[in-house]
Amino acid sequence: MRKPTMLVVLLSLSGGCRLAPRHVRPELPTPPQYLTASDSDVASGAKATEIGWRDFFRDPRLDALIAAALVHNRDL
């Protein structure tokens, strides 16, 4: 009875040993500094933050769905 107990204790203690190498975090593939609005060449002209939320998506079905949702909104 003593041998199985000792075996279980040794196996549980040896299970906590770490055999894998230490993890080294890889370098991120991002630039050290983000581009500002003056640094980037904007092709379309307007920024997404300057456009109204209803004008951002140019889909007539989505516009109709938004209009119907606003008309039938019963939220207090």
Side-chain angles (χ1 to χ4, degrees):
M1 180 146 185
R2 213 165 174 172
K3 273 188 174 183
T5 306
M6 193 61 108
L7 182 64
V8 169
V9 169
L10 285 174
L11 286 176
S12 64
L13 288 175
S14 68
C17 294
R18 188 175 188 185
L19 301 175
R22 285 190 69 99
H23 175 70
V24 177
R25 186 174 291 201
E27 289 293 323
L28 296 176
T30 56
Q33 183 178 8
Y34 289 108
L35 296 175
T36 60
S38 62
D39 294 340
S40 62
D41 185 297
V42 180
S44 64
K47 297 182 204 173
T49 55
E50 295 173 348
I51 299 173
W53 68 272
R54 292 191 66 182
D55 300 326
F56 190 77
F57 299 103
R58 301 202 183 259
D59 184 16
R61 292 184 304 172
L62 183 60
D63 287 338
L65 181 65
I66 291 172
L70 290 174
V71 167
H72 299 294
N73 186 8
R74 299 177 192 261
D75 191 11
L76 294 177

